[in-house]
Amino acid sequence: MPRPLPIALIGQKFMGRAHSNAWGQAPRFHDLPVEPSLAVACGRDAAELEAFAARWGWARSTTDWRELADDPEVALVDIGTPNHLHAEPAIAMLEAGKHVACEKPLAGTLDDARAMRDAARRSRGKTFVWFNYRRCPAVALAWQLLRAGRLGRIHHVRASYLQDWGGAGTPMSWRFRKKTAGSGAHGDLNAHAVDLARFLLGEEVVEVHGAVSRTFIKERVVPGTRTKARSDVDDAVLFTASFRSGAVASFEATRLATGNQNANRIEINGELGSLRWDFEEMNLLHFYDATDPRQTAGWRRIMATAGDAHPYASYWPDAHLLGYEHTFVSQAADICRVLGGRKPLVPLPDFADAWETQRVLEAAMRSARERSAVKIAEVT
Amino acid sequence: MPRPLPIALIGQKFMGRAHSNAWGQAPRFHDLPVEPSLAVACGRDAAELEAFAARWGWARSTTDWRELADDPEVALVDIGTPNHLHAEPAIAMLEAGKHVACEKPLAGTLDDARAMRDAARRSRGKTFVWFNYRRCPAVALAWQLLRAGRLGRIHHVRASYLQDWGGAGTPMSWRFRKKTAGSGAHGDLNAHAVDLARFLLGEEVVEVHGAVSRTFIKERVVPGTRTKARSDVDDAVLFTASFRSGAVASFEATRLATGNQNANRIEINGELGSLRWDFEEMNLLHFYDATDPRQTAGWRRIMATAGDAHPYASYWPDAHLLGYEHTFVSQAADICRVLGGRKPLVPLPDFADAWETQRVLEAAMRSARERSAVKIAEVT
Amino acid sequence: MPRPLPIALIGQKFMGRAHSNAWGQAPRFHDLPVEPSLAVACGRDAAELEAFAARWGWARSTTDWRELADDPEVALVDIGTPNHLHAEPAIAMLEAGKHVACEKPLAGTLDDARAMRDAARRSRGKTFVWFNYRRCPAVALAWQLLRAGRLGRIHHVRASYLQDWGGAGTPMSWRFRKKTAGSGAHGDLNAHAVDLARFLLGEEVVEVHGAVSRTFIKERVVPGTRTKARSDVDDAVLFTASFRSGAVASFEATRLATGNQNANRIEINGELGSLRWDFEEMNLLHFYDATDPRQTAGWRRIMATAGDAHPYASYWPDAHLLGYEHTFVSQAADICRVLGGRKPLVPLPDFADAWETQRVLEAAMRSARERSAVKIAEVT
Amino acid sequence: MPRPLPIALIGQKFMGRAHSNAWGQAPRFHDLPVEPSLAVACGRDAAELEAFAARWGWARSTTDWRELADDPEVALVDIGTPNHLHAEPAIAMLEAGKHVACEKPLAGTLDDARAMRDAARRSRGKTFVWFNYRRCPAVALAWQLLRAGRLGRIHHVRASYLQDWGGAGTPMSWRFRKKTAGSGAHGDLNAHAVDLARFLLGEEVVEVHGAVSRTFIKERVVPGTRTKARSDVDDAVLFTASFRSGAVASFEATRLATGNQNANRIEINGELGSLRWDFEEMNLLHFYDATDPRQTAGWRRIMATAGDAHPYASYWPDAHLLGYEHTFVSQAADICRVLGGRKPLVPLPDFADAWETQRVLEAAMRSARERSAVKIAEVT
């Protein structure tokens, strides 16, 4: 019988639901050394919170996150709040010796991110960041193929995360305010794109060659009113970059790519082969093996759902597709594994790791502002 | 607070897991008039059963399904056993006044199916059959478009369910024995194909024009032994048919379509448009609207995941893909809705409905045997 | 300098254009042992014919095909007329010792086809039938992979040729009259499907298990009038069949598959692998190699355009796509090769070969009429 | 009877073949006001040239391009030579009053390009540049939809041209030498990408935000020797840019994108819709119409081959696919139309137009070199 892992969750919106589901489902589909126990749900709206806690099976709820630090029954604090509300609770919990799992991006500002990284260094608690796409079976398989050298020297990375929900009709929210979100599509989507590229290549970006940030929709209606408020975050950020090994990369994040609802895409070209993935067909990995004879070489559509052959795929039989939520369930399972003394199948991002992604995002912002190339080493 | 719906489950293998998950998840993602309560899990292997019940949250377990009939705390009995074990418990539970949800196909034999249909007619319990694919959002959307007349008169149905796990290396199991399964790919996969076609067209098959059934692998190794046993079910069945309105159809089920792990596919062509769906990309519906101007007419790849526009899609934001298990969760939710007095979004199959599918399957078997066309009216 | 091959063409419509283009282009892209010389164009409308001959470079024209038989300067007669006008000129030319290339299907009726086969047996002239799709690079590559045993024992063939131009708005023409066309979609499209399957498998169909033929649109407007005439050919024919080796097959031809303009498709599943092709993406062959490790097995999208690795692909560099007309150019080139004493890369169909396809089509028609299975051996 | 247009061709390699074929085929498929007459083929290797001229039907040949200027029988000079050999003959012919059609990019250097633009301004001859992809039916259809305002305000352009033939095993050639080619993938492929984006948007690039140019393979074997020579051109160039209207764009050209043989791709996102095209499936245009109801909105796969509805598609019936060479045939036809006093269906690029593309390419090179943003207005 695995020992329980008592968890407190901060945040009861979209990510609160995704995380709650993950903690509930992880032990049903995975054999784990510790058993997640849904101890406390924490949110600001008490009425809403109670229904939320009941629905998702949280034992109790509170509107004051500060009390979690002193709660001896809480081992892991899971933070799913807007970006500007990551640093304070994360640092407090780390100082109290808790483990912390935090939504991405690590923070809305470089200062917050740096402080979080430093708090993690000082704490005996472990940290985790919900870069959930690493645990799509197809993505984890790509990681395995790259680690096995199947692509040889890497020449190209082409990463983009395209959404289209941010048109002029979309009302104001915390996501469109710099103060609460730090940035727009950049921190929301390029964070995933940069994490995915760094994760898959296993090396760091060294330079941003040039970036452009654009706010197409400058004002948005405030919900429940007739007034408009200024949106001061980017709708889209594009940039080119280089990795240490010399591979060149392009990154793009946008909320205005009409027709692309959730196209988190990456393609990697190496001297021996290529890989391509798109979240909109998340169960598939496309692999081109240039060592195949020319007669039969071709992009292989790998249905990465074989439990005996593909990582994070042992939920259902072959090609009985997995969905978005399984990426969180598998990450929750891996967090349990790590806290139970085991190793995850593929690396779990911690605050130090997420800090590296934050530096690249910051370099891109500076490049756009200064109209020049920016070396990552200059971002500290 | 919704009143509880106490459920007993019979079967603890693949379908036992799928159903358990569905009953657990349904109330987390759906607002339901009754709340599923996982009361009893029933299976033959007591040791395995206990772990199963604990993992999935069943309150208690039993190895004797007969006691469920007299258990006043059980309102719905959910049957997920091999095909030859559907009729006896289903009929017993219906006679005891329970509601019954049964895995597909309705039964392994026509006699069993007929008896189940008759028991359903006599009982005050409601019946349900787990033709889960009806509740893929893309499939339910197809149903809506067809009901709205968007395809006009239907000319063609092309349905196939292709798998490839049944090669010579696959060992013996109940699925390869006529006595336990009734048939092979036919009852397993053509059952889905026929149900899907009947559901979408909203009308019945009237004739099977010609069928072929083939057993390519005639012997299989008995697990744990070196001996082989005879596989006496089909590996593949193909047939052509007509619907009442005159539409012509082809059906194909196989476990030997190398490269197709779970390709449950249907295409429907009408005078005004066409629809196409493949479970291997389950979130997408392809729609061709022939009333579009020729300049811009084309197959539309509809990402059927918009909670505000597509049925059974309100789990996560747009294009945050759903998976196989959500089809069961949505069916569990609809069963709760019906038992709570509401209507499902799209029709739920009951025993009478599943009986019609069984007749078509039987007609195909006869056609293959007799080398002639068979009218469905002759199958009673 | 290759010696000239003087050609006479009968027919100046769609196929007249396709063949003219093929004879003109073949020597520009292929090194040939004989040089096609466009000697005579023959058609019924003298005025139209003159413009046609001028445009395509035919040296002279005539409205009387009979004079070609005695013309010592004509070596090959190429027939591109409606189906009921194949037999008479073909037989006359063979009796005159000419080589004959004939459009498919071999004939509109079994009697005509048999007579043509017999005439070919008696003649010293060589015969060819324009089953042009054999020479798509992707199809010829499929043939090579099958001959090399890459699929092992074949279990399944799934062939369909779907078009959608035959709706109620399409006016009357020779194609909708049994007298001139023999059949509708069946002879036009199933002829290609059956030829492709026989060609790729390299074996014969032995039985049609069941067929359905349907005429959805029973009357069509006669062009230039307000009256309607009866369409007495099928709009669609579907059937299931078996090959000698035991492989099961389905065939479908239709002109009412809305949204499918020219979907000539085939999929073949064997124990070691599978192949899939669709003319609507004609340059691609999809190949699944089941001997690949499960981790990286997947359908390979082979861009079959590498001149050094793929047959009939040496027109332009890799992935500089070929089109419909190149299938004719490559067949014209192969006819020149054969008449110059060389071998074609993949088999060229002659009248004896096309006769076998005609038998299968006839068996399907009988099966639909008689509501029973029909063995091919019974069609003589 | 159209009057003849006597043409001289300079260059007998890949582009010599593509252009020869185009001039020969144009009048067979298009009704033209002037009839191309293949008067003179010009090349350096006399022996090879004679065979080339015979094969493609050039009336005579010469190894001295200078004599064409004084040849009163030549009306149009078509230049298909390496990039450093564009300017001299183009300017000489323009000064002699000839019309000039030149391969892309306009030139290998900005100086050459400027001189050519100026010569064109001074001449009474008309100029054309072979940006052939504008005449893919799917691309021309995209242009029509954009001109009709179907995308509304444009936010995003994503253009890339990915090839993979430039690996370490590819020997030295003029394409890898700055002196002869000017640049590598940049001038060869980004030229197409930039032209396509400018053509489709109908507006100019105003700024390059940041670029990276990379030479991965620094030495290549000289054919016929064992020695290696330095490759001093880029293997890949990526950059981000803005259009005048504010749309942001990314461009990428590479010869090392393993698995992508000829992926000339563009996607454009506007507030009302999106378009996507990839040469590797050149007959298809993907169109997302955001004004469709959400229930049925989706990317439409338009088979842009309907002669009555799509530009440059009237070669064969619907979905009887066109290939690479038809883009040249259609451009040759349009050149004939323009020289015969008619209008092309979509704009034909001339030297002034190609000069604008050259400026963007130059700005990208400067940006890569200077590690800063570059305004196009600074490139003169």
Side-chain angles (χ1 to χ4, degrees), chain B residues 166-182:
Chain B
T170 303
M172 200 61 201
S173 78
W174 72 267
R175 291 185 180 273
F176 295 110
R177 250 181 238 114
K178 194 167 191 171
K179 205 174 128 184
T180 45

Side-chain angles (χ1 to χ4, degrees), chain A residues 133-134 136 138-139 142 156-164 188-198 200-201 237 239 243 248-254 256-269 275-286 299, chain B residues 284 301 303 319 321, chain D residues 156-160 162 250 252 260 265-269 274-278 281 286-288 298-299:
Chain A
Y133 294 112
R134 292 188 181 194
C136 277
V139 171
H156 287 286
V157 177
R158 222 164 278 118
S160 56
Y161 198 147
L162 312 179
Q163 295 186 337
D164 69 355
D188 191 18
L189 306 179
N190 266 336
H192 278 303
V194 170
D195 177 71
L196 211 52
R198 292 179 50 248
L200 288 174
L201 265 67
V237 172
F239 62 101
F243 279 85
V248 291
S250 60
F251 292 94
E252 176 174 5
T254 174
L256 288 173
T258 307
N260 300 286
Q261 274 80 40
N262 206 26
N264 182 3
R265 295 177 190 158
I266 192 161
E267 178 169 334
I268 302 174
N269 307 126
L275 290 164
R276 197 175 61 214
W277 177 77
D278 180 347
F279 178 79
E280 290 200 10
E281 44 176 33
M282 65 169 271
N283 292 278
L284 300 179
L285 180 66
H286 297 274
W299 282 96
Chain B
L284 300 179
R301 170 195 179 273
M303 177 60 81
L321 307 189
Chain D
H156 286 287
V157 177
R158 224 163 277 118
S160 56
L162 312 179
S250 60
E252 176 175 5
N260 300 286
R265 295 178 190 157
I266 192 161
E267 178 169 333
I268 301 173
N269 307 126
S274 290
L275 290 165
R276 196 174 65 215
W277 177 76
D278 180 347
E281 44 176 33
H286 297 274
F287 171 42
Y288 185 94
W299 283 95

Side-chain angles (χ1 to χ4, degrees), chain A residues 56-336:
Chain A
W56 293 101
W58 293 96
R60 65 181 183 88
S61 64
T62 174
T63 55
D64 179 13
W65 62 259
R66 285 168 208 281
E67 71 181 47
L68 302 173
D70 302 321
D71 188 334
E73 296 211 344
V74 169
L76 170 71
V77 177
D78 181 10
I79 300 174
T81 51
N83 303 342
H84 70 308
L85 298 177
H86 288 183
E88 198 180 359
I91 293 168
M93 297 307 150
L94 285 170
E95 288 177 349
K98 310 292 188 198
H99 306 300
V100 176
C102 183
E103 249 311 310
K104 46 58 55 181
L106 186 54
T109 67
L110 193 72
D111 286 344
D112 272 7
R114 193 188 309 103
M116 291 170 77
R117 178 203 62 178
D118 292 345
R121 281 184 185 163
R122 289 187 309 260
S123 172
R124 67 172 190 279
K126 287 189 194 297
T127 59
F128 310 94
V129 183
W130 290 93
F131 284 112
N132 58 303
Y133 294 112
R134 292 188 181 194
R135 272 151 185 79
C136 277
V139 171
L141 173 59
W143 184 88
Q144 292 179 333
L145 294 174
L146 280 154
R147 287 303 79 69
R150 297 294 291 272
L151 263 60
R153 179 186 172 187
I154 304 303
H155 296 133
H156 287 286
V157 177
R158 222 164 278 118
S160 56
Y161 198 147
L162 312 179
Q163 295 186 337
D164 69 355
W165 58 270
T170 303
M172 200 61 200
S173 78
W174 71 267
R175 292 185 179 276
F176 295 109
R177 250 181 238 110
K178 194 168 191 172
K179 203 174 131 185
T180 45
S183 69
H186 192 52
D188 191 18
L189 306 179
N190 266 336
H192 278 303
V194 170
D195 177 71
L196 211 52
R198 292 179 50 248
F199 166 67
L200 288 174
L201 265 67
E203 56 162 322
E204 297 299 338
V205 173
V206 292
E207 182 168 0
V208 168
H209 300 291
V212 55
S213 170
R214 189 72 35 104
T215 306
F216 291 102
I217 318 288
K218 300 195 193 308
E219 292 192 314
R220 292 175 184 277
V221 172
V222 179
T225 77
R226 287 178 166 187
T227 60
K228 287 192 164 186
R230 202 171 136 250
S231 169
D232 58 357
V233 298
D234 60 272
D235 294 319
V237 172
L238 290 75
F239 62 101
T240 54
S242 287
F243 279 85
R244 187 168 306 281
S245 62
V248 291
S250 60
F251 292 94
E252 176 174 5
T254 174
R255 293 164 174 171
L256 288 173
T258 307
N260 300 286
Q261 274 80 40
N262 206 26
N264 182 3
R265 295 177 190 158
I266 192 161
E267 178 169 334
I268 302 174
N269 307 126
E271 57 180 347
L272 302 181
S274 290
L275 290 164
R276 197 175 61 214
W277 177 77
D278 180 347
F279 178 79
E280 290 200 10
E281 44 176 33
M282 65 169 271
N283 292 278
L284 300 179
L285 180 66
H286 297 274
F287 172 42
Y288 185 94
D289 188 338
T291 68
D292 280 331
R294 261 168 80 73
Q295 188 199 29
T296 53
W299 282 96
R300 300 180 192 195
R301 170 195 178 273
I302 302 174
M303 176 60 80
T305 53
D308 59 331
H310 302 136
Y312 303 106
S314 50
Y315 288 80
W316 302 107
D318 276 22
H320 289 64
L321 306 189
L322 299 183
Y324 171 71
E325 69 190 63
H326 295 87
T327 61
F328 288 92
V329 178
S330 291
Q331 173 146 352
D334 268 353
I335 292 173
C336 291

Side-chain angles (χ1 to χ4, degrees), chain C residues 17-18 21 25 27-29 31 55-56 261-262 279-280 301 303 315-316 319-321 323-326, chain D residues 17-18 21 25 27-29 31 55 261-262 279-280 301 303 315-316 319-321 323-326:
Chain C
R17 293 175 73 230
N21 184 64
Q25 293 289 78
R28 296 197 178 101
F29 289 96
D31 291 315
R55 178 176 289 251
W56 293 100
Q261 275 78 41
N262 207 25
F279 178 80
E280 290 201 8
R301 170 196 178 273
M303 178 60 80
Y315 288 81
W316 303 107
H320 288 64
L321 306 189
Y324 170 71
E325 67 189 66
H326 296 86
Chain D
R17 292 175 75 231
N21 183 65
Q25 293 290 79
R28 296 198 178 101
F29 289 97
D31 291 316
R55 178 177 290 252
Q261 274 80 40
N262 206 26
F279 178 79
E280 291 201 8
R301 170 196 179 273
M303 176 61 80
Y315 288 80
W316 303 108
H320 288 64
L321 307 187
Y324 170 71
E325 68 188 65
H326 295 87

Side-chain angles (χ1 to χ4, degrees), chain B residues 9-253:
Chain B
L9 172 76
I10 312 178
Q12 56 172 311
K13 302 294 185 179
F14 173 18
M15 280 304 141
R17 295 174 73 231
H19 295 201
S20 296
N21 184 65
W23 296 120
Q25 294 288 79
R28 297 200 177 100
F29 289 97
H30 296 266
D31 292 316
L32 299 174
V34 298
E35 168 100 10
S37 157
L38 284 67
V40 196
C42 180
R44 280 190 295 201
D45 179 330
E48 216 175 70
L49 182 63
E50 201 169 334
F52 174 87
R55 178 176 289 253
W56 293 100
W58 293 95
R60 66 180 181 88
S61 64
T62 174
T63 57
D64 179 13
W65 62 260
R66 283 168 209 281
E67 71 179 47
L68 303 172
D70 302 322
D71 188 335
E73 296 212 342
V74 170
L76 170 70
V77 178
D78 181 11
I79 301 174
T81 50
N83 303 342
H84 70 309
L85 298 177
H86 288 182
E88 198 181 357
I91 293 168
M93 297 306 150
L94 284 169
E95 288 177 350
K98 308 296 188 197
H99 305 301
V100 177
C102 184
E103 250 309 310
K104 48 54 62 181
L106 185 55
T109 67
L110 193 71
D111 285 344
D112 271 8
R114 193 189 307 104
M116 292 170 76
R117 177 204 62 177
D118 291 345
R121 281 183 185 164
R122 289 187 309 260
S123 172
R124 67 172 192 278
K126 286 189 195 295
T127 60
F128 309 94
V129 183
W130 290 93
F131 283 111
N132 59 302
Y133 294 112
R134 291 188 181 193
R135 273 154 184 78
C136 278
V139 171
L141 172 59
W143 183 88
Q144 292 178 334
L145 294 174
L146 279 155
R147 287 303 79 69
R150 298 293 291 271
L151 264 60
R153 179 186 172 187
I154 304 302
H155 295 133
H156 286 286
V157 177
R158 222 163 280 118
S160 57
Y161 198 147
L162 312 180
Q163 295 186 337
D164 69 355
W165 59 271
T170 303
M172 200 61 201
S173 78
W174 72 267
R175 291 185 180 273
F176 295 110
R177 250 181 238 114
K178 194 167 191 171
K179 205 174 128 184
T180 45
S183 69
H186 192 52
D188 192 18
L189 306 179
N190 266 336
H192 278 303
V194 171
D195 177 71
L196 212 53
R198 291 179 51 246
F199 167 67
L200 289 174
L201 265 66
E203 54 162 324
E204 296 299 337
V205 173
V206 292
E207 181 169 1
V208 168
H209 300 292
V212 55
S213 169
R214 190 71 34 106
T215 306
F216 291 102
I217 318 289
K218 299 195 193 307
E219 292 192 313
R220 292 175 183 276
V221 172
V222 179
T225 76
R226 286 177 166 187
T227 60
K228 287 193 165 185
R230 204 171 135 245
S231 169
D232 57 357
V233 299
D234 61 272
D235 293 320
V237 172
L238 291 74
F239 62 100
T240 54
S242 286
F243 278 85
R244 187 168 307 282
S245 63
V248 291
S250 60
F251 293 94
E252 177 175 5

